[in-house]
Structure formats: structure tokens, C-alpha cells
Amino acid sequence: AFRSFRNMWLLEELGVPYTHVPARPQSREAKAVNPFGKIPTLQDGDFTMYESGAINAYLADKFRGVQGTPALVPPPGTPQR
């Protein structure tokens, strides 16, 4: 199983709209957005990243404090994080 579900779960919890592109590792679809062919891969405008844990940290930080969005992880630089 792939870890993309972690990122989709977080996006659902945050209420953030997203587009899921089904792809397998090393597939043409995966390599189109990630030269390593890894999944999951997040594209946010011109910014691209991979690794599910890093993606979730990025999303939680990006949407922290946005009205109607729950704070799901402690702030960066705190002992709780």
C-alpha cells in the first residue's frame, strides 16, 4: 500500500480542495511531476514535494490559522512538535 492516503486524509480534515491523480510508483504519471517517480507527490502551484510526512507537515503549516481550518499539528519549533 502507498502512503498517499495520509495526505488525502489530511486534506479532507482541513477541508482543502484537491485533485487526486491515481498513479503507481515509476509510472509515466508519477514521473511527469516527480523525476524520481515517487508517490505521493504534492504540487502546490510551482512548488513540488514528495514524502507523505513532509507533505503533511507542509499542509498543516500552510493552512494553520486559515478560517475554518483546524490546527492539527503543533506549531513548528515547539517541544510538542
Side-chain angles (χ1 to χ4, degrees):
F2 306 112
R3 293 184 171 85
S4 303
F5 70 91
R6 293 176 179 175
N7 306 127
M8 292 187 291
W9 164 79
L10 183 60
L11 288 163
E12 291 289 334
E13 289 294 320
L14 292 170
V16 175
Y18 64 93
T19 301
H20 175 249
V21 178
R24 297 198 51 83
Q26 304 303 318
S27 67
R28 187 172 8 136
E29 295 86 1
K31 288 183 176 181
V33 295
N34 182 329
F36 301 110
K38 290 190 164 205
I39 61 168
T41 297
L42 172 75
Q43 286 188 293
D44 185 13
D46 292 335
F47 178 66
T48 301
M49 70 183 309
Y50 55 91
E51 301 295 341
S52 63
I55 291 169
N56 278 358
Y58 170 79
L59 292 170
D61 290 340
K62 178 176 179 168
F63 293 101
R64 178 186 315 284
V66 174
Q67 179 146 0
T69 302
L72 297 175
V73 298
T78 64
Q80 295 80 13
R81 179 91 174 236

